[in-house]
């Protein structure tokens, strides 16, 4: 894929993020083989982009690296010659997030994070996929051999849509939930990850650890025992409920996990029971506290000026490992999100699945998993169907398909009837009008399907 004698060009789209872009940059430069790389930093916000450039300079200075960077407001300026493209963007900002959390809550749908499934995830797909599909097409036109690392949520929806828009795109979706979850279980078991072998497969934020061994000794019985320990249960509630009832650990924190089913958030009493302590454990609207950052300028200024020390230690994120492996040919195994195509035999081929992948100089090589335990695959299929509909809604700009996706969302369908889902969807689309492509202005969600049904009923609605 790349010449190990030539320092690679790495494009970061969304480089003005508060911390994530600088973290990935420091991770990459921690490898000597990448210490001379060129980073093309892209952001539509000129002020944030300027901060990103200054923070990059601080990282290079602190590490004594030879890396260089360029700043770009347009993706097409940055892409030519790129070997790697990292995408981590947010479309709509806090205003959009606030609407997709608060409007459903008005109807009784309580979301904690709302960036993967639920009304929030669906709306985030609608406003983000058009941008990322265009990025994918630009990559195919300007650097078709580049390896694309998508970090933007909703991960599965966006990866599916990008691959639809640009067939042949060399794409993998990345998250830290597999590595953070396995590290967490190793710590709970008082074991070192270096002594552990595991197998994991499923969907992003809902992948299942089906093997977890220390020196070939099965640790799942010990995990199942820990899951009902009151202290462990209270700190990670809905995930422990999954283990207690379904037998296997699932990735991602309980706040996320509590949103992906009908079991934990259908009433205030349920939320109090299954999300004790709030916050990452499932506090209503917790995502708003993560994105409502009026202090972002001060935070970035402290990083840029050196007041905040630069942390050069490599993180758990897979991005730098992939770039290093593809550059040097030194293989790595990571967990990535890719098109299924029979990798997990009892999930749809069109689904985006999270599986083990080997990485070397020839690229990403997903490893076939086989069949998940059927009850786990069934849980995944309910989520994958919503994701698939959301992608179709974004591609067609059809509000009726948005409504259909909302109807099949496990949390929404547990709390609301069809009339209320239609009203909520209409209100969400209206609130998101500024963040959607212009063509949506001519596509309001109508009440006609419900009115047509009324004509056939003698009992008035």
């Amino acid at each position: 894929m790349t010449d190990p004698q030539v320092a690679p060009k790495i494009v970061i789209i969304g480089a003005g993020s508060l911390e994530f872009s600088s973290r990935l940059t420091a991770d990459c430069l921690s490898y000597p083989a990448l210490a001379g790389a060129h980073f093309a930093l892209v952001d539509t916000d000129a002020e944030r982009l300027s901060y990103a450039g200054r923070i990059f300079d601080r990282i290079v200075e602190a590490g004594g690296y030879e890396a260089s960077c360029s700043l770009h407001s347009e993706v097409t300026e940055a892409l030519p010659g790129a070997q790697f493209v990292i995408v981590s963007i947010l479309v709509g900002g806090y205003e959009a997030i606030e609407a997709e959390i608060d409007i459903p809550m008005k109807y009784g749908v309580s979301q904690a994070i709302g960036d993967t499934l639920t009304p929030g995830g669906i709306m985030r797909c609608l406003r983000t996929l058009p941008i990322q599909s265009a990025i994918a097409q630009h990559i195919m036109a300007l650097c078709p051999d580049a390896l694309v690392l998508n970090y933007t949520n909703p991960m599965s929806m966006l990866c599916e849509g990008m691959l639809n828009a640009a067939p042949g795109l060399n794409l993998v979706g990345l998250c830290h939930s597999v590595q953070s979850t396995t590290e967490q279980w190793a710590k709970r078991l008082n074991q070192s990850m270096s002594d552990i072998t595991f197998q994991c497969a499923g969907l992003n934020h809902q992948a299942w650890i089906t093997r977890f061994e220390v020196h070939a000794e099965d640790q799942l019985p010990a995990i199942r025992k820990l899951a009902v320990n009151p202290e462990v249960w209270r700190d990670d509630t809905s995930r422990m409920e999954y283990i207690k009832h379904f037998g296997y650990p699932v990735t991602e924190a309980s706040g996320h996990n509590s949103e992906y089913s009908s079991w934990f958030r259908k009433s205030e009493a349920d939320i109090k029971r299954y999300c004790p302590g709030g916050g990452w454990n499932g506090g209503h609207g917790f995502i708003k506290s993560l994105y409502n950052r009026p202090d972002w300028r001060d935070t970035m200024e402290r990083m840029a000026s050196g007041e905040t020390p630069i942390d050069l230690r490599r993180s758990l994120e897979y991005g730098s490992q992939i770039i290093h492996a593809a550059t040097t040919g030194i293989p790595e195994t990571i967990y990535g999100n890719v098109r299924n195509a029979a990798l997990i035999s009892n999930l749809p081929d069109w689904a985006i699945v999270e599986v083990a992948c080997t990485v070397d100089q020839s690229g990403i090589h997903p490893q076939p998993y086989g069949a998940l335990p059927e009850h786990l695959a069934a849980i995944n299929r309910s989520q994958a169907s919503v994701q698939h509909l959301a992608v179709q809604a974004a591609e067609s700009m059809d509000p009726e398909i948005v409504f259909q996706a909302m109807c099949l969302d496990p949390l929404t369908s547990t709390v609301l009837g069809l009339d209320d889902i239609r009203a909520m969807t209409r209100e969400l689309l209206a609130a998101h009008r500024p963040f959607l492509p212009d063509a949506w202005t001519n596509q309001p969600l109508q009440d006609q399907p419900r009115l047509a049904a009324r004509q056939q009923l003698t009992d008035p609605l």
Side-chain angles (χ1 to χ4, degrees):
M1 176 176 291
T2 60
D3 183 348
Q5 304 303 315
V6 178
K9 178 179 180 180
I10 303 167
V11 176
I12 301 181
I13 303 173
S17 61
L18 192 57
E19 296 176 349
F20 191 68
S21 170
S22 58
R23 181 66 268 154
L24 289 176
T25 300
D27 284 352
C28 288
L29 294 178
S30 69
Y31 288 102
L34 304 180
H38 178 77
F39 289 77
L41 307 181
V42 184
D43 206 285
T44 57
D45 186 314
E47 185 178 10
R48 285 181 175 271
L49 184 61
S50 176
Y51 276 122
R54 291 175 59 199
I55 293 168
F56 178 91
D57 291 341
R58 289 282 301 122
I59 294 171
V60 169
E61 179 184 3
Y65 305 126
E66 297 181 357
S68 60
C69 83
S70 54
L71 306 182
H72 306 271
S73 60
E74 298 291 337
V75 168
T76 51
E77 295 175 357
L79 290 176
Q83 287 82 43
F84 304 96
V85 181
I86 299 171
V87 185
S88 178
I89 67 173
L90 177 65
V91 177
Y94 180 73
E95 184 181 352
I97 291 171
E98 186 177 38
E100 67 200 16
I101 295 295
D102 289 354
I103 290 172
M105 187 59 202
K106 187 173 74 172
Y107 289 84
V109 181
S110 171
Q111 304 164 93
I113 307 295
D115 67 358
T116 301
L117 209 62
T118 69
I122 294 167
M123 298 309 298
R124 190 178 283 223
C125 174
L126 296 185
R127 66 178 188 268
T128 309
L129 182 54
I131 306 297
Q132 297 219 172
S133 292
I135 290 171
Q137 292 168 339
H138 289 317
I139 291 169
M140 291 302 293
L142 299 173
C143 51
D145 295 328
L147 179 53
V148 184
L149 314 181
N150 177 55
Y151 273 102
T152 312
N153 282 321
M155 176 64 65
S156 297
M157 297 178 190
L158 296 180
C159 287
E160 180 182 347
M162 291 173 76
L163 290 170
N164 291 348
L169 186 70
N170 194 10
L171 171 71
V172 63
L174 299 176
C175 184
H176 53 251
S177 59
V178 172
Q179 56 268 51
S180 61
T181 300
T182 51
E183 289 271 4
Q184 189 176 37
W185 277 114
K187 184 177 180 180
R188 286 170 176 160
L189 294 166
N190 296 314
Q191 301 290 341
S192 168
M193 277 302 299
S194 61
D195 296 325
I196 289 171
T197 56
F198 70 92
Q199 192 172 26
C200 185
L203 305 182
N204 179 236
H205 288 187
Q206 198 181 71
W208 308 96
I209 300 171
T210 54
R211 184 164 66 92
F212 203 78
E213 299 174 349
V214 176
H215 301 306
E217 182 178 347
D218 185 9
Q219 299 299 304
L220 287 177
I223 286 174
R224 290 163 185 151
K225 185 176 180 180
L226 278 172
V228 294
N229 177 293
E231 184 176 344
V232 176
W233 185 92
R234 181 175 176 81
D235 287 342
D236 203 358
T237 319
S238 68
R239 282 203 295 183
M240 297 307 106
E241 285 291 296
Y242 268 38
I243 298 170
K244 185 172 75 175
H245 293 284
F246 300 130
Y248 296 91
V250 68
T251 56
E252 201 42 65
S254 275
H256 277 289
N257 186 65
S258 70
E259 301 175 318
Y260 303 153
S261 73
S262 60
W263 303 309
F264 307 116
R265 307 187 69 87
K266 53 190 172 186
S267 69
E268 286 294 333
D270 284 324
I271 294 172
K272 184 176 180 180
R273 176 183 179 186
Y274 291 115
C275 306
W280 280 110
N281 203 35
H284 169 67
F286 178 62
I287 192 172
K288 294 198 297 183
S289 67
L290 301 178
Y291 282 91
N292 186 19
R293 294 292 300 272
D295 63 336
W296 69 267
R297 286 186 181 85
D298 292 339
T299 300
M300 296 191 82
E301 178 61 38
R302 288 194 297 270
M303 295 170 67
S305 66
E307 183 180 343
T308 299
I310 298 295
D311 186 357
L312 299 178
R313 294 173 299 176
R314 194 178 306 144
S315 74
L316 290 174
E317 298 291 350
Y318 284 134
S320 66
Q321 298 176 44
I322 292 172
I323 293 172
H324 181 258
T327 299
T328 64
I330 300 171
E332 291 272 9
T333 297
I334 60 98
Y335 275 79
N337 293 273
V338 295
R339 183 87 78 180
N340 186 21
L343 295 169
I344 301 177
S345 60
N346 51 351
L347 291 183
D349 280 351
W350 46 257
I352 299 297
V353 296
E354 193 162 53
V355 295
C357 304
T358 57
V359 189
D360 58 25
Q361 209 160 357
S362 62
I364 304 274
H365 309 286
Q367 300 303 300
Y369 173 86
L372 282 165
E374 183 54 30
H375 64 298
L376 305 184
I379 295 172
N380 280 165
R381 283 194 292 267
S382 68
Q383 181 166 326
S385 294
V386 178
Q387 293 165 346
H388 197 45
L389 276 170
V391 172
Q392 291 183 356
E395 292 172 342
S396 65
M397 289 184 286
D398 185 340
E400 199 64 33
I401 302 179
V402 181
F403 164 71
Q404 293 162 7
M406 297 284 185
C407 289
L408 292 179
D409 173 65
L411 176 60
T412 304
S413 62
T414 296
V415 176
L416 298 181
L418 294 173
D419 285 344
D420 285 336
I421 295 174
R422 184 170 289 277
M424 181 190 72
T425 303
R426 185 184 297 108
E427 192 169 345
L428 280 166
L429 285 170
H432 276 70
R433 195 75 71 207
F435 317 117
L436 298 175
D438 290 342
W440 277 97
T441 60
N442 298 319
Q443 299 287 342
L445 179 63
Q446 302 295 331
D447 206 26
Q448 290 176 350
R450 185 166 67 89
L451 291 174
R454 281 182 179 174
Q455 296 170 6
Q456 301 173 25
L457 296 173
T458 57
D459 186 21
L461 298 178

